[in-house]
Amino acid sequence: DSERALQCFSRCVGQNEEHAQAWNNIAALSLDAGRYKSAHKALEVSLKYITDSWHMWSNYASVSAEIGEWGSAVSASRKVLEFTEGQRLET
């Protein structure tokens, strides 16, 4: 179940804070649960360690817009456009 998965990934980042994929999974599970601020925080941490994933930047842009963090949404959208050479913007 999702709550158990969230606990497992949380334990994982507790042991290794730099585990970007675990943070990304926490963000995805948080989004599924409607916890947008938690997802935003998890994506912020994940993007400290994986900076070249346009998918992560796109997710961050969407979540940022959802919680009214417009500056972050615009910055992340620019990253998506940069990494995809203007071909994608799924926010």
Side-chain angles (χ1 to χ4, degrees):
D1 82 77
S2 294
E3 282 303 315
R4 186 170 167 98
L6 186 58
Q7 289 173 352
C8 290
F9 287 118
S10 295
R11 215 174 356 206
C12 180
V13 298
Q15 293 175 1
N16 178 7
E17 185 178 312
E18 296 180 11
H19 198 303
Q21 194 57 50
W23 281 111
N24 192 57
N25 291 339
I26 289 170
L29 290 164
S30 296
L31 281 174
D32 286 345
R35 298 179 190 137
Y36 296 102
K37 288 188 179 187
S38 295
H40 187 261
K41 173 71 174 149
L43 283 167
E44 273 184 342
V45 176
S46 183
L47 285 166
K48 285 190 333 188
Y49 305 109
I50 296 178
T51 60
D52 61 351
S53 169
W54 73 265
H55 285 107
M56 281 190 197
W57 285 109
S58 181
N59 290 340
Y60 186 64
S62 296
V63 173
S64 294
E66 185 69 35
I67 64 170
E69 293 284 341
W70 302 112
S72 295
V74 169
S75 296
S77 295
R78 286 186 181 135
K79 286 286 198 182
V80 173
L81 292 171
E82 175 187 326
F83 285 120
T84 64
E85 298 178 347
Q87 298 300 308
R88 294 212 182 252
L89 189 58
E90 298 179 356
T91 58

Coordinates of all heavy atoms in Angstrom, one line a residue:
D1 N 0.8 -1.2 0.0 CA 0.0 0.0 0.0 C 0.9 1.3 0.0 O 2.0 1.2 0.3 CB -1.0 0.0 1.2 CG -0.5 0.4 2.5 OD1 -0.4 1.6 2.7 OD2 -0.3 -0.5 3.3
S2 N 0.3 2.4 -0.3 CA 1.0 3.6 -0.5 C 1.7 4.1 0.8 O 2.8 4.6 0.7 CB 0.1 4.7 -1.1 OG -0.3 4.4 -2.4
E3 N 1.0 4.0 1.9 CA 1.5 4.5 3.1 C 2.7 3.7 3.5 O 3.7 4.3 4.0 CB 0.5 4.5 4.2 CG -0.5 5.7 4.2 CD 0.1 7.0 4.2 OE1 1.0 7.3 5.0 OE2 -0.2 7.9 3.4
R4 N 2.7 2.4 3.3 CA 3.8 1.6 3.7 C 5.0 1.9 2.8 O 6.2 2.0 3.2 CB 3.4 0.1 3.6 CG 4.5 -0.8 4.0 CD 4.0 -2.2 4.1 NE 5.0 -3.2 4.3 CZ 5.4 -3.7 5.4 NH1 4.8 -3.3 6.5 NH2 6.4 -4.6 5.5
A5 N 4.7 2.1 1.5 CA 5.8 2.5 0.5 C 6.4 3.8 1.0 O 7.7 4.0 0.9 CB 5.3 2.6 -0.9
L6 N 5.6 4.8 1.4 CA 6.1 6.1 1.8 C 7.0 5.9 3.0 O 8.0 6.5 3.1 CB 4.9 7.0 2.1 CG 5.2 8.4 2.4 CD1 6.0 9.1 1.3 CD2 3.9 9.2 2.7
Q7 N 6.6 5.1 4.0 CA 7.4 4.8 5.1 C 8.8 4.2 4.7 O 9.8 4.6 5.3 CB 6.7 3.9 6.1 CG 5.5 4.5 6.8 CD 4.7 3.5 7.6 OE1 5.0 2.3 7.5 NE2 3.8 4.0 8.4
C8 N 8.7 3.3 3.8 CA 10.0 2.6 3.3 C 10.9 3.6 2.7 O 12.1 3.7 3.0 CB 9.7 1.5 2.4 SG 8.9 0.1 3.2
F9 N 10.4 4.5 1.8 CA 11.2 5.5 1.1 C 11.7 6.5 2.1 O 12.9 7.0 2.0 CB 10.5 6.1 -0.1 CG 10.4 5.2 -1.2 CD1 9.2 4.8 -1.7 CD2 11.5 4.7 -1.9 CE1 9.1 3.9 -2.8 CE2 11.4 3.8 -2.9 CZ 10.2 3.4 -3.4
S10 N 10.9 6.9 3.1 CA 11.3 7.8 4.1 C 12.5 7.3 4.9 O 13.4 8.0 5.3 CB 10.1 8.2 5.0 OG 9.2 8.9 4.3
R11 N 12.4 6.0 5.2 CA 13.5 5.3 6.0 C 14.7 5.3 5.1 O 15.8 5.5 5.6 CB 13.1 3.9 6.3 CG 13.6 3.4 7.6 CD 13.1 2.0 8.0 NE 12.1 1.6 7.0 CZ 11.1 0.8 7.2 NH1 11.0 0.2 8.4 NH2 10.2 0.4 6.3
C12 N 14.6 5.1 3.8 CA 15.7 5.1 2.9 C 16.5 6.4 2.9 O 17.7 6.5 3.0 CB 15.2 4.8 1.5 SG 16.5 4.7 0.3
V13 N 15.7 7.5 2.8 CA 16.3 8.9 2.8 C 16.9 9.2 4.2 O 17.7 10.1 4.3 CB 15.4 10.0 2.2 CG1 15.1 9.7 0.7 CG2 14.2 10.2 3.0
G14 N 16.3 8.6 5.2 CA 16.8 8.8 6.5 C 18.2 8.2 6.7 O 19.1 8.7 7.4
Q15 N 18.5 7.2 5.9 CA 19.8 6.5 5.9 C 20.8 7.2 4.9 O 22.0 7.1 5.1 CB 19.7 5.0 5.7 CG 19.0 4.3 6.7 CD 18.7 2.8 6.4 OE1 19.1 2.4 5.3 NE2 18.0 2.1 7.3
N16 N 20.2 7.7 3.8 CA 21.0 8.3 2.8 C 20.2 9.5 2.2 O 19.4 9.3 1.3 CB 21.3 7.3 1.7 CG 22.1 7.9 0.6 OD1 22.6 9.0 0.6 ND2 22.3 7.1 -0.5
E17 N 20.5 10.7 2.7 CA 19.7 11.8 2.3 C 19.9 12.2 0.8 O 19.1 12.8 0.2 CB 20.1 13.1 3.1 CG 19.2 14.3 2.8 CD 19.5 15.5 3.6 OE1 19.6 15.4 4.8 OE2 19.7 16.6 3.0
E18 N 21.0 11.7 0.2 CA 21.3 12.0 -1.2 C 20.7 11.0 -2.1 O 21.0 11.1 -3.3 CB 22.8 12.1 -1.3 CG 23.5 13.2 -0.5 CD 25.0 13.2 -0.7 OE1 25.5 12.5 -1.6 OE2 25.6 13.9 0.0
H19 N 19.8 10.2 -1.7 CA 19.2 9.2 -2.6 C 18.0 9.9 -3.3 O 16.9 9.9 -2.9 CB 18.6 8.0 -1.8 CG 18.4 6.8 -2.6 ND1 17.5 6.8 -3.6 CD2 18.8 5.5 -2.5 CE1 17.4 5.6 -4.2 NE2 18.3 4.8 -3.5
A20 N 18.4 10.5 -4.5 CA 17.4 11.3 -5.2 C 16.2 10.6 -5.7 O 15.1 11.1 -5.7 CB 18.2 12.0 -6.4
Q21 N 16.4 9.3 -6.1 CA 15.3 8.6 -6.6 C 14.3 8.2 -5.5 O 13.1 8.2 -5.7 CB 15.7 7.3 -7.3 CG 14.7 6.6 -8.2 CD 14.1 7.6 -9.2 OE1 14.8 8.2 -10.0 NE2 12.8 7.7 -9.3
A22 N 14.8 8.0 -4.3 CA 13.9 7.8 -3.2 C 13.1 9.0 -2.9 O 11.9 9.0 -2.7 CB 14.6 7.3 -2.0
W23 N 13.7 10.2 -3.0 CA 13.0 11.5 -2.8 C 12.0 11.6 -3.9 O 10.8 12.1 -3.6 CB 14.0 12.6 -2.8 CG 14.7 12.8 -1.5 CD1 16.0 12.6 -1.3 CD2 14.2 13.3 -0.2 NE1 16.3 12.9 0.0 CE2 15.2 13.3 0.7 CE3 12.9 13.6 0.2 CZ2 15.0 13.7 2.0 CZ3 12.7 14.0 1.5 CH2 13.8 14.0 2.4
N24 N 12.3 11.3 -5.1 CA 11.3 11.4 -6.2 C 10.1 10.5 -5.9 O 9.0 10.9 -6.2 CB 12.0 11.1 -7.5 CG 11.2 11.4 -8.7 OD1 10.8 12.6 -8.8 ND2 10.9 10.5 -9.5
N25 N 10.4 9.3 -5.4 CA 9.3 8.4 -5.1 C 8.4 8.9 -4.0 O 7.2 8.7 -4.0 CB 9.9 7.0 -4.8 CG 10.5 6.3 -6.0 OD1 10.2 6.6 -7.1 ND2 11.4 5.3 -5.8
I26 N 9.1 9.5 -3.0 CA 8.3 10.1 -1.9 C 7.4 11.2 -2.5 O 6.2 11.3 -2.1 CB 9.2 10.7 -0.8 CG1 9.9 9.6 -0.1 CG2 8.5 11.7 0.1 CD1 11.0 10.0 0.9
A27 N 7.9 12.0 -3.4 CA 7.1 13.0 -4.1 C 5.9 12.4 -4.8 O 4.8 12.9 -4.7 CB 8.0 13.9 -5.0
A28 N 6.2 11.4 -5.6 CA 5.1 10.7 -6.3 C 4.0 10.2 -5.4 O 2.8 10.4 -5.7 CB 5.7 9.6 -7.2
L29 N 4.4 9.5 -4.3 CA 3.4 9.0 -3.4 C 2.7 10.1 -2.7 O 1.5 10.0 -2.4 CB 4.2 8.1 -2.4 CG 4.7 6.8 -2.9 CD1 5.7 6.2 -2.0 CD2 3.5 5.9 -3.2
S30 N 3.4 11.2 -2.4 CA 2.7 12.4 -1.7 C 1.7 13.0 -2.7 O 0.6 13.4 -2.2 CB 3.8 13.4 -1.3 OG 4.7 12.9 -0.4
L31 N 2.1 13.1 -4.0 CA 1.1 13.6 -4.9 C -0.1 12.8 -5.0 O -1.2 13.3 -5.0 CB 1.8 13.7 -6.3 CG 2.7 14.9 -6.6 CD1 3.3 14.8 -7.9 CD2 1.9 16.2 -6.5
D32 N 0.1 11.4 -5.1 CA -1.1 10.5 -5.1 C -2.0 10.7 -3.9 O -3.2 10.5 -4.0 CB -0.6 9.1 -5.2 CG 0.0 8.7 -6.5 OD1 -0.2 9.4 -7.5 OD2 0.6 7.6 -6.6
A33 N -1.4 11.1 -2.8 CA -2.2 11.3 -1.5 C -2.7 12.7 -1.4 O -3.4 13.0 -0.4 CB -1.3 10.9 -0.3
G34 N -2.4 13.6 -2.4 CA -2.9 14.9 -2.4 C -2.1 15.8 -1.4 O -2.5 16.9 -1.1
R35 N -0.9 15.4 -1.1 CA 0.0 16.2 -0.2 C 1.0 17.0 -1.0 O 2.1 16.6 -1.1 CB 0.7 15.2 0.8 CG -0.2 14.4 1.7 CD 0.6 13.5 2.6 NE -0.3 12.6 3.3 CZ 0.0 11.3 3.4 NH1 1.1 10.8 3.0 NH2 -0.9 10.6 4.1
Y36 N 0.5 18.1 -1.6 CA 1.3 18.8 -2.5 C 2.5 19.5 -1.9 O 3.6 19.5 -2.5 CB 0.4 19.8 -3.2 CG -0.7 19.2 -4.1 CD1 -2.0 19.1 -3.6 CD2 -0.4 18.6 -5.3 CE1 -3.0 18.5 -4.4 CE2 -1.3 18.0 -6.0 CZ -2.6 17.9 -5.6 OH -3.6 17.3 -6.3
K37 N 2.4 20.0 -0.7 CA 3.5 20.7 -0.1 C 4.6 19.7 0.3 O 5.8 19.9 0.1 CB 3.1 21.4 1.2 CG 2.3 22.7 0.8 CD 2.1 23.6 2.0 CE 1.3 24.8 1.5 NZ 1.2 25.8 2.6
S38 N 4.2 18.5 0.7 CA 5.2 17.4 1.0 C 5.9 17.0 -0.3 O 7.1 16.8 -0.4 CB 4.5 16.2 1.6 OG 4.1 16.5 2.9
A39 N 5.1 16.9 -1.4 CA 5.7 16.5 -2.7 C 6.6 17.6 -3.2 O 7.7 17.3 -3.7 CB 4.5 16.3 -3.7
H40 N 6.3 18.8 -3.0 CA 7.1 20.0 -3.4 C 8.5 19.9 -2.7 O 9.5 20.0 -3.3 CB 6.4 21.3 -3.1 CG 7.1 22.5 -3.6 ND1 7.9 23.3 -2.8 CD2 7.1 23.0 -4.8 CE1 8.4 24.3 -3.5 NE2 7.9 24.2 -4.8
K41 N 8.4 19.7 -1.4 CA 9.7 19.6 -0.6 C 10.5 18.4 -1.0 O 11.7 18.5 -1.2 CB 9.3 19.4 0.9 CG 10.5 19.2 1.8 CD 11.3 20.4 2.0 CE 12.4 20.1 3.0 NZ 13.6 20.8 2.7
A42 N 9.9 17.3 -1.3 CA 10.6 16.1 -1.7 C 11.3 16.3 -3.1 O 12.4 15.9 -3.3 CB 9.7 14.9 -1.7
L43 N 10.6 16.9 -4.0 CA 11.1 17.2 -5.3 C 12.3 18.2 -5.2 O 13.3 18.1 -5.9 CB 10.0 17.7 -6.3 CG 9.1 16.7 -6.8 CD1 7.9 17.3 -7.5 CD2 9.9 15.8 -7.8
E44 N 12.2 19.2 -4.3 CA 13.3 20.2 -4.1 C 14.5 19.4 -3.7 O 15.6 19.7 -4.2 CB 12.9 21.2 -3.0 CG 12.2 22.4 -3.5 CD 11.9 23.4 -2.3 OE1 12.0 23.0 -1.1 OE2 11.6 24.5 -2.7
V45 N 14.4 18.5 -2.8 CA 15.6 17.7 -2.3 C 16.1 16.9 -3.5 O 17.3 16.8 -3.7 CB 15.3 16.9 -1.1 CG1 16.5 16.1 -0.7 CG2 14.8 17.8 0.1
S46 N 15.2 16.2 -4.1 CA 15.6 15.3 -5.2 C 16.4 16.1 -6.3 O 17.4 15.6 -6.8 CB 14.4 14.7 -5.8 OG 14.8 13.8 -6.9
L47 N 15.9 17.3 -6.6 CA 16.6 18.1 -7.7 C 17.9 18.7 -7.2 O 18.7 19.1 -8.1 CB 15.6 19.2 -8.1 CG 14.5 18.7 -9.0 CD1 13.4 19.8 -9.1 CD2 15.0 18.3 -10.4
K48 N 18.2 18.6 -5.9 CA 19.6 19.0 -5.5 C 20.6 17.9 -6.0 O 21.8 18.3 -6.2 CB 19.7 19.0 -4.0 CG 19.0 20.2 -3.4 CD 19.3 20.5 -1.9 CE 19.6 19.3 -1.1 NZ 19.6 19.6 0.4
Y49 N 20.2 16.7 -6.2 CA 21.1 15.6 -6.5 C 21.0 15.2 -8.0 O 21.9 14.6 -8.5 CB 20.9 14.4 -5.6 CG 21.0 14.9 -4.1 CD1 19.9 14.9 -3.3 CD2 22.3 15.3 -3.6 CE1 20.0 15.4 -2.0 CE2 22.4 15.7 -2.3 CZ 21.3 15.8 -1.5 OH 21.4 16.2 -0.2
I50 N 19.8 15.3 -8.6 CA 19.6 15.0 -10.0 C 19.1 16.3 -10.6 O 17.9 16.6 -10.5 CB 18.6 13.8 -10.2 CG1 19.2 12.5 -9.6 CG2 18.4 13.7 -11.7 CD1 18.2 11.4 -9.8
T51 N 20.0 17.0 -11.3 CA 19.6 18.3 -11.9 C 19.3 18.2 -13.3 O 18.8 19.3 -13.9 CB 20.7 19.3 -11.6 OG1 21.9 18.8 -12.3 CG2 21.0 19.5 -10.2
D52 N 19.4 17.1 -14.0 CA 19.3 17.1 -15.4 C 18.1 16.3 -15.9 O 18.0 15.8 -17.1 CB 20.5 16.6 -16.1 CG 20.9 15.2 -15.7 OD1 20.3 14.6 -14.7 OD2 21.8 14.6 -16.3
S53 N 17.1 16.0 -15.1 CA 15.9 15.3 -15.5 C 14.8 16.2 -15.8 O 14.2 16.8 -14.9 CB 15.5 14.3 -14.4 OG 14.2 13.8 -14.6
W54 N 14.4 16.3 -17.1 CA 13.3 17.2 -17.4 C 12.0 16.8 -16.8 O 11.1 17.6 -16.5 CB 13.2 17.5 -18.9 CG 12.7 16.3 -19.7 CD1 13.4 15.4 -20.3 CD2 11.3 16.1 -20.0 NE1 12.5 14.5 -21.0 CE2 11.2 14.9 -20.7 CE3 10.1 16.7 -19.6 CZ2 10.0 14.3 -21.2 CZ3 8.9 16.1 -20.0 CH2 8.9 15.0 -20.8
H55 N 11.8 15.5 -16.6 CA 10.6 14.9 -16.0 C 10.5 15.5 -14.6 O 9.4 15.9 -14.1 CB 10.6 13.4 -16.0 CG 10.3 12.8 -17.3 ND1 11.3 12.2 -18.0 CD2 9.2 12.7 -18.0 CE1 10.7 11.7 -19.2 NE2 9.4 12.1 -19.2
M56 N 11.6 15.4 -13.8 CA 11.5 15.9 -12.4 C 11.2 17.4 -12.4 O 10.4 17.9 -11.6 CB 12.8 15.6 -11.7 CG 12.9 14.2 -11.2 SD 14.4 14.1 -10.1 CE 14.6 12.4 -10.1
W57 N 11.9 18.1 -13.3 CA 11.6 19.6 -13.4 C 10.2 19.9 -13.7 O 9.6 20.8 -13.2 CB 12.6 20.3 -14.3 CG 14.0 20.4 -13.8 CD1 15.1 19.7 -14.2 CD2 14.4 21.3 -12.7 NE1 16.2 20.1 -13.4 CE2 15.7 21.1 -12.5 CE3 13.7 22.2 -11.9 CZ2 16.5 21.8 -11.5 CZ3 14.4 22.9 -11.0 CH2 15.8 22.7 -10.8
S58 N 9.6 19.1 -14.6 CA 8.2 19.2 -15.0 C 7.3 19.0 -13.8 O 6.3 19.7 -13.6 CB 7.9 18.3 -16.2 OG 6.6 18.5 -16.6
N59 N 7.6 17.9 -13.1 CA 6.8 17.6 -11.9 C 6.9 18.7 -10.9 O 5.9 19.1 -10.3 CB 7.2 16.3 -11.3 CG 6.8 15.1 -12.1 OD1 6.0 15.2 -13.0 ND2 7.5 14.0 -11.9
Y60 N 8.1 19.2 -10.7 CA 8.3 20.3 -9.8 C 7.6 21.6 -10.2 O 7.0 22.3 -9.4 CB 9.8 20.6 -9.7 CG 10.2 21.6 -8.6 CD1 9.9 21.4 -7.3 CD2 10.8 22.8 -8.9 CE1 10.3 22.3 -6.3 CE2 11.1 23.7 -8.0 CZ 10.9 23.5 -6.7 OH 11.2 24.4 -5.7
A61 N 7.6 21.9 -11.5 CA 6.8 23.0 -12.0 C 5.3 22.9 -11.7 O 4.7 23.8 -11.3 CB 7.1 23.2 -13.5
S62 N 4.8 21.7 -12.0 CA 3.4 21.5 -11.8 C 3.0 21.6 -10.3 O 2.0 22.2 -10.0 CB 3.0 20.1 -12.3 OG 3.1 20.0 -13.6
V63 N 3.8 21.0 -9.4 CA 3.5 21.0 -8.0 C 3.7 22.4 -7.5 O 2.8 22.9 -6.7 CB 4.4 20.0 -7.2 CG1 4.2 20.2 -5.7 CG2 4.1 18.6 -7.6
S64 N 4.7 23.1 -7.9 CA 4.9 24.5 -7.5 C 3.7 25.4 -7.9 O 3.2 26.2 -7.1 CB 6.1 25.1 -8.2 OG 7.3 24.4 -7.7
A65 N 3.2 25.2 -9.1 CA 2.0 26.0 -9.5 C 0.8 25.6 -8.6 O 0.0 26.5 -8.2 CB 1.7 25.7 -11.0
E66 N 0.6 24.3 -8.3 CA -0.5 23.9 -7.5 C -0.5 24.5 -6.1 O -1.6 24.8 -5.6 CB -0.4 22.3 -7.4 CG -1.6 21.7 -6.7 CD -2.9 21.8 -7.5 OE1 -2.8 21.7 -8.7 OE2 -3.9 21.9 -6.9
I67 N 0.7 24.8 -5.6 CA 0.7 25.4 -4.2 C 0.9 26.9 -4.3 O 1.2 27.5 -3.2 CB 1.7 24.6 -3.3 CG1 3.1 24.8 -3.8 CG2 1.3 23.2 -3.1 CD1 4.2 24.3 -2.8
G68 N 0.9 27.4 -5.4 CA 1.1 28.9 -5.6 C 2.5 29.4 -5.5 O 2.7 30.6 -5.3
E69 N 3.5 28.5 -5.7 CA 4.9 28.9 -5.7 C 5.3 29.3 -7.1 O 5.9 28.6 -7.9 CB 5.8 27.8 -5.2 CG 5.6 27.5 -3.7 CD 6.3 28.5 -2.8 OE1 7.2 29.3 -3.3 OE2 5.9 28.6 -1.6
W70 N 4.8 30.5 -7.6 CA 4.9 30.8 -9.0 C 6.3 31.0 -9.5 O 6.6 30.7 -10.6 CB 4.0 32.1 -9.2 CG 2.6 31.8 -8.9 CD1 1.9 32.4 -7.8 CD2 1.7 30.9 -9.4 NE1 0.7 31.9 -7.7 CE2 0.5 31.0 -8.7 CE3 1.8 30.0 -10.5 CZ2 -0.6 30.2 -9.0 CZ3 0.7 29.2 -10.8 CH2 -0.5 29.3 -10.1
G71 N 7.2 31.6 -8.6 CA 8.6 31.8 -9.0 C 9.2 30.4 -9.3 O 9.9 30.3 -10.3
S72 N 9.0 29.5 -8.4 CA 9.5 28.1 -8.6 C 8.9 27.5 -9.9 O 9.6 26.8 -10.6 CB 9.3 27.2 -7.4 OG 9.9 27.7 -6.3
A73 N 7.6 27.7 -10.1 CA 7.0 27.1 -11.3 C 7.6 27.6 -12.6 O 7.8 26.9 -13.5 CB 5.5 27.4 -11.2
V74 N 7.8 28.9 -12.6 CA 8.4 29.5 -13.8 C 9.8 29.1 -14.0 O 10.2 28.7 -15.1 CB 8.3 31.1 -13.7 CG1 9.1 31.7 -14.8 CG2 6.9 31.5 -13.8
S75 N 10.6 29.1 -12.9 CA 12.0 28.6 -13.1 C 12.1 27.2 -13.5 O 12.9 26.8 -14.4 CB 12.7 28.7 -11.7 OG 12.8 30.1 -11.3
A76 N 11.3 26.3 -12.9 CA 11.3 24.9 -13.3 C 10.8 24.7 -14.8 O 11.3 23.9 -15.5 CB 10.4 24.1 -12.4
S77 N 9.8 25.5 -15.2 CA 9.4 25.4 -16.6 C 10.5 25.8 -17.5 O 10.6 25.2 -18.6 CB 8.1 26.3 -16.8 OG 7.1 25.9 -16.0
R78 N 11.2 26.8 -17.2 CA 12.4 27.2 -18.0 C 13.4 26.0 -18.1 O 14.0 25.8 -19.2 CB 13.1 28.4 -17.4 CG 12.3 29.7 -17.6 CD 13.1 30.9 -17.2 NE 12.3 32.1 -17.4 CZ 12.2 33.1 -16.5 NH1 12.8 33.0 -15.4 NH2 11.4 34.1 -16.8
K79 N 13.6 25.3 -17.0 CA 14.5 24.2 -17.0 C 14.0 23.1 -18.0 O 14.8 22.5 -18.7 CB 14.7 23.6 -15.6 CG 15.5 24.4 -14.7 CD 17.0 24.2 -15.1 CE 17.9 24.6 -14.0 NZ 19.3 24.5 -14.4
V80 N 12.7 22.8 -17.9 CA 12.1 21.8 -18.9 C 12.4 22.3 -20.3 O 12.8 21.4 -21.1 CB 10.6 21.7 -18.6 CG1 9.9 20.8 -19.7 CG2 10.3 21.1 -17.2
L81 N 12.1 23.5 -20.6 CA 12.3 24.0 -22.0 C 13.8 23.9 -22.4 O 14.1 23.5 -23.5 CB 11.8 25.4 -22.1 CG 10.3 25.6 -22.0 CD1 9.9 27.0 -22.0 CD2 9.6 24.9 -23.2
E82 N 14.7 24.2 -21.4 CA 16.1 24.1 -21.7 C 16.6 22.7 -22.0 O 17.3 22.4 -23.0 CB 16.9 24.6 -20.4 CG 18.4 24.5 -20.5 CD 19.0 24.9 -19.1 OE1 18.5 25.8 -18.4 OE2 20.0 24.3 -18.8
F83 N 16.1 21.8 -21.1 CA 16.6 20.4 -21.3 C 15.9 19.7 -22.5 O 16.5 18.7 -23.1 CB 16.3 19.5 -20.0 CG 17.3 19.8 -18.9 CD1 16.8 20.3 -17.7 CD2 18.6 19.6 -19.1 CE1 17.7 20.6 -16.7 CE2 19.5 19.9 -18.1 CZ 19.0 20.4 -16.9
T84 N 14.8 20.1 -22.9 CA 14.1 19.5 -24.0 C 14.2 20.3 -25.3 O 13.6 20.0 -26.3 CB 12.6 19.3 -23.7 OG1 11.9 20.5 -23.6 CG2 12.4 18.4 -22.5
E85 N 15.0 21.4 -25.3 CA 15.2 22.3 -26.4 C 13.9 22.8 -26.9 O 13.6 22.9 -28.1 CB 16.0 21.6 -27.5 CG 17.4 21.2 -27.0 CD 18.2 20.4 -28.0 OE1 17.7 20.0 -29.1 OE2 19.4 20.3 -27.8
G86 N 13.0 23.1 -26.0 CA 11.7 23.8 -26.3 C 10.7 22.8 -26.8 O 9.6 23.2 -27.3
Q87 N 10.9 21.5 -26.7 CA 10.0 20.5 -27.2 C 8.9 20.1 -26.3 O 7.9 19.5 -26.7 CB 10.8 19.3 -27.7 CG 11.8 19.6 -28.8 CD 11.1 20.1 -30.0 OE1 10.2 19.6 -30.6 NE2 11.6 21.3 -30.5
R88 N 9.1 20.3 -25.0 CA 8.2 19.8 -24.0 C 7.9 20.8 -22.9 O 8.8 21.5 -22.5 CB 8.7 18.5 -23.3 CG 8.8 17.4 -24.2 CD 8.6 16.1 -23.4 NE 8.8 15.0 -24.2 CZ 7.8 14.2 -24.6 NH1 6.5 14.5 -24.3 NH2 8.0 13.2 -25.3
L89 N 6.7 20.9 -22.5 CA 6.3 21.7 -21.4 C 4.9 21.1 -20.9 O 3.9 21.4 -21.5 CB 6.2 23.1 -21.6 CG 6.0 24.0 -20.4 CD1 7.1 23.8 -19.4 CD2 5.9 25.5 -20.8
E90 N 5.0 20.2 -20.0 CA 3.8 19.4 -19.6 C 3.2 19.9 -18.2 O 2.7 19.2 -17.5 CB 4.2 17.9 -19.4 CG 4.6 17.4 -20.8 CD 5.0 15.9 -20.6 OE1 5.0 15.3 -19.5 OE2 5.3 15.3 -21.7
T91 N 3.4 21.2 -18.0 CA 2.8 21.7 -16.7 C 1.4 22.2 -16.8 O 1.0 22.4 -17.9 CB 3.7 22.8 -16.1 OG1 3.8 23.9 -17.1 CG2 5.1 22.3 -15.8

